[in-house]
Every structure is written in C-alpha cells, then in structure tokens.
Amino acid sequence: MKKIFSILLVIIFFLGILPTNVLADNANIFTNKAMLTVKAVPNFTSLRIYQRVGVTTTATGGTAPYMNANYVIKDGKIIYRGWYGTSNIFYYVPKTIGTYKITSFVRDVTGAIKYVTTVPIKVTDYTATQPLYVSTATNAAELSAGQNLIVRAVAYGGAGGYNYAFYVRREGTIIYKGNYSTNNIFSYILTDAGSYDVLCFVKDRLGEIVCRSTRQVSAIVAPNPKYRALIIGQHNYWDHTLAGTDVDANNMNTMLITKPSYGTMAKLTKKLDLTGRGILSTIPVAFAGADSSSVSVFYYSGHGSDNGYIFGVDNNYPGSGAVSSTELANA
C-alpha cells in the first residue's frame, strides 16, 4: 500500500512541474486538432486612390465553419471596423493617399479568434497620363420633328470616374440643361423643326471638366402623306363562284372610309370581278398622282398561286387571266 502511494506522489509531482502548454499540446496530439491559424493576402500592395483593393483571408485548423471580420488601418489609425460575416474576401476603396493595412480576424465555431495584419499597402494619387477628352455621336443627321435625338458620349484620359451632363441647343440657344450622372447616353425629343446640337460635358473624379458639341442635327416637319387604296374582290370566276371575297372587299372599303387605318384617303377605288388585264389597267388609274410622299394600298381578295400569281375572273392563263407579281410591280 505504501508503495502504491509513493508512485502516486511521484506522478503528481511530475504533473505539477510540467508547463500547462505541454499538457495542452499533448491534448491536441491526442485529439488530432490543429491550432487555428490565419493568413491574409491583398491583391495589391500599391495602388491609386479610388482603386479597389481586395484581401483574401485563409483559415486553417480550429473548428470550421469560420466567420471573418476586417479592420482598415491607415497610417497607424483604425478608420474602419467591419462585422463578422461568412465571406473570406474583403474589399475596400481608399479615397485618400497613405499607407494602409488590413487586419483580418477569424473566429471558429468554438469562439476561438485569431487575427493577422497584411503587409503595408501604399496608396498614391492618380496622375493622368492623357488629357481628359470626350467624343460624341448622334443617331442621325436629320430627323422628323417629334422623333428622338440620341447622343452617345465617350470619355477618355483624365482621372477616370466619369460623369456626364448634356445641354441641348436649338439655333444656337440653349433650351435644355441636364444634371451630371454616370449615364453617357442621352435622348431628347425634337418637338420643333430647326437645327439642333448637344453640348456634352464630362467631369472626372478630380473635378476636371471638358465639353464637346455634337454635329448639327436638322429636325424637319414631314409633309402629311397622301393615301390611296385599290380594293379588288374576285367573286364570280369563269367556272365557279368564290364565296366571301365580295364581302371582304366591301368590308375593307367601309373600314377605310369610316375608320381609315392609314389616314384620310386621297382616293379610294373598289372593283369587283376584274379580268387579269383589267387588274393591270386599273392600277395606274387608282394610284394616279402618287409621289414620294404618298402611301399606296393594294388589297386583293380572290384566287392566287404559291408562285406569285393572282387571277382574273376570265381565266388562269399567264399573259391573260393570270397576273404575275412582276406585272403587278410594273403596272
């Protein structure tokens, strides 16, 4: 019994003089669990103001899943404290020059926390390598009154971070002033006839402004078109009656009179049961006086073929009752 008691005293003695970290290390060996370690790597170590730096934090050991938080340090002072989140990538946009560091914290599921600070990140001012310049383009050189004038401005050089503003001039007088925005495409309805141009302003992040005018764009008042229509219904063919075509022609004629889809008709002609040659001779009469501002409507209800022929009521022979698309176009 005394021998057993002596052995216990020796064991207790040795346990008492062993450092606690040795016991902890031995415990980790027995549980096969590595200590939580953290590594943080920035994608840039030197950049200019308003450029974005990203820091990727990698955690190993401990007990996953991990939570991440980041502090931003500028010239030795903390200027930003972030909350814990699941993302291990942190982005920051420095707006002033200086030396920055990012301290990345990792907390595992047991509550253990480790942190590491990145290497210094040098942020300098932006020095323009090219002068600020803006080019312009419009959707047309001539538009009808009531149409949209569309302008596209593209900036180059300067310090980047461009904002655009657009002023509209008519006959040299400013009639519209827009505010600055990041949108480089501008649209304006030309309500009146005249000569227009657009002043395109661009401002970079350092406040430098340049301006360029578009080409002159003419807005014209288009003359009211003259509408003419020829309606043909082929009902009584040489060897049979085709039902409904006369009704089609009459209904179309009524609609163009009472509810004209194409505008007021300068001339409206309706014909029933024309021969092939009669169709061709009626076309120039129905559309007489048509010019480049006119709209001519040809409506036909009757027999036709899949190779482009329509048929007079007399027969279906080419050169007689059958009328080709070429003959129609040249009539």
Side-chain angles (χ1 to χ4, degrees):
M1 184 67 180
K2 290 182 179 180
K3 185 176 181 179
I4 294 173
F5 181 72
S6 298
I7 293 173
L8 288 174
L9 287 176
V10 171
I11 293 173
I12 293 172
F13 173 77
F14 278 106
L15 288 176
I17 64 174
L18 284 174
T20 57
N21 62 335
V22 173
L23 293 176
D25 289 343
N26 289 334
N28 284 330
I29 292 172
F30 291 128
T31 59
N32 196 28
K33 183 184 295 183
M35 297 292 291
L36 178 62
T37 60
V38 178
K39 182 179 180 181
V41 179
N43 58 346
F44 296 111
T45 56
S46 64
L47 65 157
R48 303 188 188 279
I49 57 174
Y50 294 99
Q51 286 185 295
R52 188 174 72 166
V53 62
V55 175
T56 301
T57 303
T58 304
T60 57
T63 305
Y66 308 113
M67 299 289 285
N68 299 268
N70 296 274
Y71 285 11
V72 178
I73 302 169
K74 176 181 178 287
D75 297 329
K77 295 182 180 180
I78 297 174
I79 61 171
Y80 171 84
R81 290 179 170 89
W83 295 97
Y84 277 100
T86 56
S87 177
N88 71 320
I89 301 177
F90 172 71
Y91 293 105
Y92 186 78
V93 178
K95 298 180 180 179
T96 57
I97 62 174
T99 300
Y100 290 74
K101 295 180 180 179
I102 310 296
T103 298
S104 299
F105 297 83
V106 174
R107 184 179 67 197
D108 72 3
V109 75
T110 69
I113 296 175
K114 289 288 185 179
Y115 66 89
V116 66
T117 300
T118 66
V119 297
I121 303 168
K122 186 70 172 178
V123 178
T124 58
D125 201 351
Y126 192 98
T127 302
T129 57
Q130 293 182 343
L132 183 60
Y133 175 80
V134 60
S135 65
T136 65
T138 62
N139 59 330
E142 184 177 278
L143 295 167
S144 297
Q147 288 186 306
N148 275 320
L149 169 61
I150 300 174
V151 178
R152 179 184 177 89
V154 179
Y156 307 92
Y162 307 118
N163 280 268
Y164 301 84
F166 300 90
Y167 288 13
V168 179
R169 294 191 298 192
R170 179 177 176 271
E171 310 295 349
T173 300
I174 295 175
I175 59 174
Y176 170 86
K177 292 182 179 180
N179 297 320
Y180 278 100
S181 75
T182 57
N183 191 358
N184 70 321
I185 298 177
F186 172 72
S187 179
Y188 185 82
I189 298 176
L190 305 180
T191 55
D192 301 302
S195 180
Y196 292 79
D197 71 316
V198 178
L199 297 174
C200 303
F201 296 85
V202 61
K203 178 170 63 176
D204 69 10
R205 63 166 56 98
L206 298 182
E208 183 179 357
I209 297 175
V210 296
C211 175
R212 184 179 179 88
S213 173
T214 65
R215 62 181 174 178
Q216 294 291 317
V217 177
S218 297
I220 61 173
V221 177
N224 292 325
K226 297 177 181 178
Y227 295 90
R228 294 170 175 81
L230 170 59
I231 301 169
I232 298 175
Q234 303 291 67
H235 179 55
N236 294 306
Y237 279 90
W238 71 94
D239 60 348
H240 67 284
T241 297
L242 182 60
T245 53
D246 55 338
V247 176
D248 291 342
N250 289 329
N251 288 342
M252 178 59 70
N253 186 74
T254 300
M255 187 194 74
L256 291 179
I257 293 174
T258 59
K259 297 179 180 179
S261 302
Y262 301 97
T264 303
M265 290 290 165
K267 188 174 183 180
L268 178 60
T269 304
K270 185 189 75 171
K271 295 290 184 179
L272 299 176
D273 300 334
L274 292 178
T275 65
R277 299 307 96 182
I279 294 173
L280 294 176
S281 63
T282 302
I283 290 175
V285 176
F287 299 124
D291 55 24
S292 59
S293 65
S294 299
V295 177
S296 299
V297 180
F298 179 81
Y299 178 87
Y300 171 86
S301 180
H303 279 307
S305 69
D306 56 7
N307 58 350
Y309 283 88
I310 61 174
F311 298 113
V313 296
D314 48 343
N315 59 65
N316 60 353
Y317 301 118
S320 180
V323 180
S324 69
S325 57
T326 301
E327 290 177 301
L328 286 174
N330 294 329

